[in-house]
Amino acid sequence: QADLNNAHDALCDLADILGITPDSLSLGGQLGLAFGARGRGGNSGVAHYEPFQVVINLTKTRGAGSLAHEWFHALDNAVARLSGRRDGFGTEIHNLAGTGVTIETADAFRTLVRTINKTHLPSRSKKLDLRRRSDYWSTGRELGARAFEAFVIERLAEYGVTNDYLANITPESSWEYMARFSRTLQGSSYPYPTRAELVTLVPAFSDFVASIDWPGRQGKVNSLAAA
């Protein structure tokens, strides 16, 4: 019950800062949300998004703080689904021309991806991937989701609100402190946007969100609900 209550409040906060209705967060009723129902135990992640099933799963005890991250994965996947790539992510598609995405949204989305890639976030994330067998931190989908988390926290702060269930990331100062005493963390490997980088990222995210034909919103031809 506590998880349901916290998720409800978090989603309402997310809708408020995005300027959309809460029901729009379901992407036209396509997106599902599960609590501790789809994990495999062991060392599974705190949360994950399943593109084929279009569902976010939060684990029973550790999913708090991951909702905004996973919701952006769903939105990112919705962009890809409109381009005919059911299991893909828009942040990793180089050409959205000729897809079901409106020209306005496609342009805003490309601008957002370019803005993320112009920061030092990708290069810092690549340092973390040096410890892995395959890229994870530096993939387009993860860069977008982590940048969105920072955007959400920044927008909440503008209203004097915090919601750690919606988004909760390690501050840059804390990360750098841990890195100084870690044998595995590389220097300058902070995996989220810095305060300086948010100056350009916040308006890029805002413009992308404003360009979307949210379900129930009038005035545009296409809708992410069609995904």
Side-chain angles (χ1 to χ4, degrees):
Q1 185 64 56
D3 279 335
L4 289 174
N5 291 344
N6 287 330
H8 173 272
D9 292 346
L11 291 172
C12 286
D13 283 346
L14 180 59
D16 283 345
I17 64 170
L18 296 182
I20 62 178
T21 59
D23 60 322
S24 293
L25 295 175
S26 70
L27 307 180
Q30 300 297 308
L31 178 61
L33 178 60
F35 297 89
R38 307 182 68 82
R40 299 179 181 177
N43 294 321
S44 59
V46 297
H48 68 272
Y49 170 71
E50 300 177 23
F52 279 112
Q53 301 299 326
V54 194
V55 63
I56 292 169
N57 181 64
L58 304 179
T59 58
K60 291 181 179 179
T61 59
R62 298 186 297 146
S66 302
L67 187 52
H69 182 107
E70 301 304 330
W71 185 83
F72 185 81
H73 278 326
L75 181 61
D76 194 7
N77 175 235
V79 172
R81 291 168 74 88
L82 284 175
S83 71
R85 307 181 195 190
R86 184 179 175 188
D87 63 337
F89 293 87
T91 47
E92 298 171 2
I93 297 175
H94 297 295
N95 185 10
L96 291 173
T99 70
V101 182
T102 64
I103 293 176
E104 181 184 0
T105 297
D107 287 344
F109 193 74
R110 280 192 291 265
T111 298
L112 170 62
V113 174
R114 283 197 298 267
T115 303
I116 293 173
N117 289 333
K118 284 181 180 178
T119 69
H120 293 292
L121 178 59
S123 60
R124 294 196 304 270
S125 298
K126 282 187 177 297
K127 291 182 179 180
L128 291 174
D129 276 336
L130 292 175
R131 301 181 296 153
R132 299 177 55 88
R133 293 182 179 179
S134 60
D135 288 346
Y136 167 78
W137 296 92
S138 61
T139 59
R141 70 190 71 176
E142 287 302 319
L143 291 171
R146 294 198 313 278
F148 183 73
E149 288 181 84
F151 161 75
V152 166
I153 292 173
E154 184 72 8
R155 287 302 311 275
L156 286 173
E158 293 175 9
Y159 292 92
V161 174
T162 59
N163 191 317
D164 289 342
Y165 194 93
L166 179 60
N168 185 7
I169 64 178
T170 303
E172 183 181 2
S173 58
S174 299
W175 183 276
E176 291 181 348
Y177 178 82
M178 291 186 296
R180 287 201 299 268
F181 300 97
S182 172
R183 294 182 178 180
T184 57
L185 293 177
Q186 302 289 326
S188 301
S189 61
Y190 186 57
Y192 297 95
T194 64
R195 297 288 304 175
E197 291 166 342
L198 283 172
V199 171
T200 56
L201 286 174
V202 167
F205 271 110
S206 297
D207 289 346
F208 168 55
V209 170
S211 76
I212 296 173
D213 176 24
W214 296 100
R217 178 179 169 188
Q218 302 298 317
K220 290 197 176 80
V221 177
N222 298 318
S223 171
L224 286 174

